Structures are given as C-alpha cells and as structure tokens.
Amino acid sequence: MNDDETRGLSRGLTNYGDHDFSVYLRRSFASSMGYSQEMLKKPIVGIANTYSGFNNCHRHFPEMVEHVKRGILLGGGLPIEFPTISLGEVFLSPTSLKFRNLMAMDTEEMIRAQPMDAVVLMGGCDKTVPAQLMGAASADLPTVQLIGGPMMTSRHGEERLGACTDCRRFWGKYRATEIDKAEIDMVEGRLATTTGTCAVMGTASTMACISETLGMALPGTAAIPAVHADRLRAAEATGLAAARMILNPIRPSQVITEKSVENALRVLLAIGGSTNAIIHLTAVAGRLGIRISLDRLNALSDTTPVLVNLKPVGQNYMEDFFFGGGVGAVMRELKPLLHLDTLSVTGERLGDRLEQDPGYVDRRVIASAEAPLELEGGLVALFGNLAPRGAILKRSAADKILFEKEGRAVVFTSLEDLAARVDDPELNIAADDIMVLQNAGPRSASGMPEAGYLPIPKKLSSQGVKDMIRISDARMSGTAFGTIILHVAPEASIGGLLGLVRTGDRIRLSVAKKRIELLVDEAELDRRRAEWTSDIVPPEQRRGYDRLYAAEVLQADEGCDFAFLKPVGTVGDNS
Ligand code: FES
C-alpha cells in the first residue's frame, strides 16, 4: 500500500470515523478488481471516459482508452477509468447545452471525490470538451485533455461530404426542391461514415483547437483524425504526460489564465470558429474568475486575420487542416499577436513550442499572416437597444451585402410558431425582411437550442433566396452559415427588448458600427412592456435538474454557466 496518504489509493478516504478501517476496506475492495499490491502502491491517473452508445462521435473511445492506459503505465501511474455523463449532440432533447453544466458538475465532483493524483479527460462531441474543461478548472487537479478527433469525409457522386455543413447544404437543396427524396435519403447514409466529431470547423473542432491553444491538450493533437494511428499515439502520449504531472504538478489554474484565454480567442477568430465557442470559453474562463468582455472580443476581432479555409466558411475539412499543419501552423502565423509566456500541461511555454520546426504547411488550408483570407476575425459582437448585453454575428459566414441594412421585422414568438408558419405559402415575408425568433434563449422552455439558423421560408428559398438577416436569442450550430445574429442578451423570456419586437417594426443592422437597433419609440416600447408576460414556467413549478437549470442558468454573456458554479463574488460581472 502507498504510505504517502496524499497520493494514490489513500487520497480522500471514505469517512467511516476510523481512518485505518477506511484504508483497509478500500484496499480490500480495490484488490477485488484483481490489482496486485504493487499496482495499488502507484499514484493514480483517473481517466474520464465519455464513451456512450448515445454518442456516435465517441465510438472509438474503447480502443483509445487502452492507449491512454498504456501511456499512464509507461509513466509509472496506475490508470483507473471512470465514466461520466456523455453528451451526444444529436441525441439530446431539448438541446445538449442544457446538460453541459450537468456534465461539468459530474466531471468536477468525480475528479474531486475519487482518489486520483491526475486525470485524463477524453472528450470530443460539441459540449463534452467545454464541460470537461469547466469541471477540471473548478476541481484544479493536474489534468490533460485528450480530444477524440474529427471524422473522415465521405463521397456522394463527385462531391466530398462531411458532417455537418454538407448536412445543411443538402437539406437546403431538398427544401428548395433542387434534389428529390431518393437523393436526400442517399446523402443521409453518407454524411457521417466514420467515428469522430463533425468533419468541419464546427463547435467540436473549434473547442478542440481552443483546448490545444489554452494548453490543456497536448501540442499538435487537436486535429488528428479520430481513426488515425496518430490519434492512438496521442492517447498514449496524453496518458504519459498525465502520469508525469504527478511529480511535477501543473494545475488547470496555471494553464487557463487571462493570457491563454486571450490566445484562445485569437485562434478562435483566426480559424473562423463556431459562435458557440464564445459561450463555452466564457464559461470555462469564468470558472477561474476570468471575464471575457465582448468589447475585448471586438478589439481582438478587428486585429486578427482569418487564416483557415475550412467549411462552413471555406472549402476544406478537418483532415485537410490536420495534414495542412493544424493549430501549431495557425499559432505560428499569429505569433506576434499571442502571449508567448503561457504554459501548457507539458510544462512548455508557448513561445518555445512555436520555435520548433513548423513542418509542412498547406497554404490552401492555412493562409499566411501576410496573405490572410480576411483581414478581420470571423466573429463580432453587436450592441444596441436590441442587445444591450451583446449579440454575436459570425461575419465570416455571412453575406456582406446584408451588413448595413434596415428592414421590416417578421416575428416568430417561439420555435413552435416558427415551425408552424415558416413554410406557410400565405406567410407575409420578402427577401428584404428581417426574421426574428423570440423565446429561444437559455431560460426559455427550449433551453437555447441551435435554432438561430432559421430556415429561409420555402416560398423564398424556392425563388433562390439563400440568405436573410435572422435575429434570435438562440444559438447556431458551428457548422451553419448565414447572416445570423445570435445570443441576444438579455433574452426575450426574461424581458429583453427582443421579446417586444412585433412584425412590421423596423430594425437596423450595422456591422461596421457593431450595432443592432429596434427603431421603435420609447413610449410604444413602454406600452408593450406593460402588456408583456414571460413564457417561463417558474423554477418552483419544476423539479429535478430542470428546476436547478431554470433557477441558475446565466445569460449568454456569462457563458450560460450556473451562478453557483462560478467563484464566489464573480457572478454578474458581465452585466
Ligand atoms: Fe458530435 Fe457534431 S455531432 S461533433
């Protein structure tokens, strides 16, 4: 048995009121799993394995975890795998975001409650990576994150297919009657043909790049395809790195700092990453009392070039990004803009990493800083009376013709209203109008789903209309595109001005001025305010997790975390 009571199996004993009995009982029960006494003396590296039959993106985790274990054994640790909640994006109702905080709590509490000296977090699908980072930041035990890696692409005729930008592209074609039922059925079977996360720069890939940039995943590991042998070698290296951290502990609070968070924002902007990542990074940073200001995001966005040519904004897929140089190549181009003294879980400073040989860089996928794809970053925060606490536009995925525009609002009061009327041939709507979706924010009944990508009404899409301004307090899938204004805060359901918009009102968007304004006079708004009622079912009329969520979830500008999970005294900093 390990004599050091701060390490291994002797950490954090179960309390029976008799210390020696607790040691004896735990040792006995651990022996029942077939471990030798020699193994039980070793320090322990826990492995949070998020394999689930409801998570296609993690299908390969049973194989990957064996390689993590090999790395831990190589480093002299005892690997012990444990399950946590897994969030398979398309299998959760009403939306996976609602359960991100539950997974973060599970991860944090299981790291803290079980005897481990370091931990490997195996994540991949959209919300799993931020949930694990949030939990790890709060638990603050030495941690290395192992990303699951992206899917490979597939083929349909002469076209290359990758979930999930192409899912939406083909669905759009089907809605516009450009392809028939037989073809959409065929595409359905070809969009996702391997394990791994979505093959484009969606939320999962963006969060993988953010984890590596923060320094929580090993250098060079974010983009390795899920099915490559390199991914298994990364798993072994991750296990080894975690075991080595037992002697030289580096905690998440040393890695996730104001500077590394700013580096992550730079990379997010340069890769044209997902809007969801703003919410997630805000939540992760918030766990350590680090505040992300949307004004600062705008300042960074104005000075960060877009370098990565990947769908949904560009042409390529994650496997091209991997072979083209990955996150390291992007960071080398951004080097003058980055804080180089940030620390990774390996103990290496970013500046030292970027001194190393860059290897081959495919300029068709990763542009140089001298010849960027765009001079300004992909995401921008908008403010104005419609979004006093901010809203987000992915300008790199939007039609620039719509950036300076005033239009008539066409309002949908809920997701149900949208579904019922959007394709009604009688719907009074024109291509110049601005579609508004209310009551889809974090506190709404729908729990802030990825519904901000409002479908173009069929009567317009069949006329060839591809983009319109769409505004909501919902989110958008990282794999979607369009002139879509999201995360409006405060949301409609808690009395935000978004909830007072009526069909026929005028709305003005100016991306240049970073403004979104409802052009209705104050007297009229006061009248509407007096009539307004919330759609929210109060927490006391709910039960279980739903009740906790309803009572505690914060607005998008605070990362939709729970108030009580943030460090004491930091809630409300963003308001
Ligand atoms: Fe898992 Fe897209 S469904 S990453």
Side-chain angles (χ1 to χ4, degrees), residues 160-216:
R160 215 172 151 198
L161 290 189
C164 215
T165 302
D166 296 326
C167 317
R168 294 172 198 285
R169 188 164 60 86
F170 274 92
W171 191 250
K173 283 185 179 194
Y174 176 59
R175 278 179 57 80
T177 61
E178 288 171 31
I179 61 172
D180 61 14
K181 178 82 168 75
E183 185 163 1
I184 196 73
D185 285 349
M186 201 180 302
V187 169
E188 181 184 299
R190 292 177 172 169
L191 283 165
T193 50
T194 78
T195 184
T197 52
C198 287
V200 298
M201 193 53 83
T203 304
S205 300
T206 304
M207 288 311 302
C209 295
I210 283 178
S211 182
E212 182 178 329
T213 305
L214 285 172
M216 291 299 294

Side-chain angles (χ1 to χ4, degrees), residues 55-57 89-90 124-126 197-198 204:
N55 193 339
N56 59 293
C57 302
E89 185 61 24
V90 300
C125 194
D126 284 23
T197 52
C198 287

Side-chain angles (χ1 to χ4, degrees), residues 221-249:
T221 59
I224 304 168
V227 297
H228 277 207
D230 283 336
R231 174 61 56 203
L232 300 177
R233 279 186 278 275
E236 183 183 302
T238 299
L240 180 60
R244 284 185 174 153
M245 281 209 298
I246 293 168
L247 287 181
N248 298 300

